[in-house]
Amino acid sequence: MIKIDTRYLEKFVSTQEINEIAPEIAKAQKVLNTATGRGNDFLGWVNLPTEIDDELINKIQQDADAIAAKAQIYVVIGIGGSYLGARAVIESLQNELAVLDPNRKRPYIVYAGHTLSEDYYSQLLSILDKFDYAMTVISKSGTTTEPAVAFRILKSHIEKKYGKEEARSRIIAITDGSKGALHNIAKQEGYTTYVIPDNVGGRYSVFTPVGLLPIAVSGGDIAKLIQGARDMQSIVTQEISITDNPAALYTAIRNILYRKGKKIEMMVTYIPAMRYISEWWKQLFGESEGKEHKGILPHSVTYTTDLHSMGQYVQDGERIMFETVLSVNNSATNVNIPFDEANLDGLNYLQQKTLTTINHCAEEGTACAHVDGGVPVIRLEMNCINEETIGELLYMMEYSCGISGYVLDVNPFDQPGVEAYKTNMFKLLGKF
Ligand code: PA5
């Protein structure tokens, strides 16, 4: 089970401060558990892991296997909460090099609807000309411009490539159960459709078909993912001592630091495949907390890569941030450093060590240096990366985000600020 390790916090957060904020966290937790806070009509995500039934999981798995049997590429069309959860899980289980694996058994997942870049679509279409593909279009509202535009382009392409009838069998829509343009198109065209529950907002939807279908198409074990989330749900939703509840403890520490002027939280991973976990987390916390001129700014880095770009600032720049390190104990595989007789590069001292050991030394050395430089470090320890641990992590973060929003006294389940750019864009585009 994921643990919050406070070893690097001694200089910054005292036990007394944690004890002092504990009643506030407990109160926020009660408000969430009893659905008495702001945005309480969007709490469907809290019980999703325990409420999802085997029938739905099996249906998703069957659809995913049918797609995998006929597609080399699977296009996931969606933006924000309608694609980041799936991408976070898919990329952490199989990194970006998977595209080059000649023995890959499942479709390679590509994304659309998350950008308006013309060159991106032109390149995507020319790739899709050459491979068999299928797609899912995901939009809760069914009216978001970016995925709607992408779907119009790709629907036309897939119908030309396969004919309308076959194209229909290669498209799955995931949207609202009764309204929205996508709902109407899906109904008219007769697409296989999954419903996003009314009471689950986009960024909390990874354990619905929004996340589960693309993950299953990619070969991820969705039953295990749900099991991980369920295990975490059974712990963090309990109103137990703060030190026994990782979501409550994480919430407490980040809010104590925020009140001390640490306004930026940098999610740190040492594993590039986990980059999209950080992206998902940034949306979750940024969109949930950043309102009413309040909220920690979520930022992310991948070390050691970014130690050679951002490292200088973190060590020596403005003292406005803290780090949350996703520390993974074990890799799935080992690569040893070979012995070299000549030792011209002077690396024989590493010869008995695995890259994971070296990466862990980099992590520990960096955390100590940053602590010395005045940057608090929360260490979040995971045993390994697999569906269960990722399920635990995502659920823990969702729950923490819910209570953290209440501690901050904002509605963690709306996103009114996202509308401003749309209004301007529509005006510029001449939409009536
Ligand atoms: O978390 C959210 O609600 C948003 O990020 C949405 O997921 C995003 O804007 C996409 O919305 P929709 O699924 O309605 O297309």
Side-chain angles (χ1 to χ4, degrees), residues 95-104 108:
N95 71 36
E96 59 212 277
L97 300 179
V99 69
L100 298 172
D101 182 356
N103 300 321
R104 195 162 33 83
Y108 187 71

Side-chain angles (χ1 to χ4, degrees), residues 79-82 139-141 144 202-203 283 287 415:
I79 195 165
S82 285
S139 177
K140 185 171 183 205
S141 62
T144 306
R203 59 191 175 276
Q283 187 209 350
E287 212 166 51
Q415 53 284 328

Side-chain angles (χ1 to χ4, degrees), residues 76-87 111-114 136-142 144 147 174-175 182 196 201-206 208-211 214 280 283 287:
V76 175
I77 304 172
I79 195 165
S82 285
Y83 95 107
L84 280 169
R87 190 163 190 174
Y111 300 89
H114 61 316
T136 187
V137 50
I138 308 172
S139 177
K140 185 171 183 205
S141 62
T144 306
I174 307 179
T175 188
L182 180 57
I196 308 173
R203 59 191 175 276
Y204 294 85
S205 69
V206 63
T208 72
V210 171
W280 171 86
Q283 187 209 350
E287 212 166 51

Side-chain angles (χ1 to χ4, degrees), residues 79-82 84 201-204 280-291 296 298 401 410-419 422:
I79 195 165
S82 285
L84 280 169
R203 59 191 175 276
Y204 294 85
W280 171 86
W281 167 88
K282 278 198 288 201
Q283 187 209 350
L284 179 67
F285 278 88
E287 212 166 51
S288 299
E289 292 194 315
K291 43 197 75 155
I296 296 171
C401 188
V410 297
N411 178 352
F413 308 112
D414 67 359
Q415 53 284 328
V418 180
E419 294 311 310
K422 294 184 191 169

Side-chain angles (χ1 to χ4, degrees), residues 61 81 83 167 192 213 263 294 304 312 383:
Q61 192 62 55
Y83 95 107
T192 298
L213 178 70
K263 304 211 177 218
K294 295 189 270 192
T304 61
Q312 172 60 39
N383 192 34

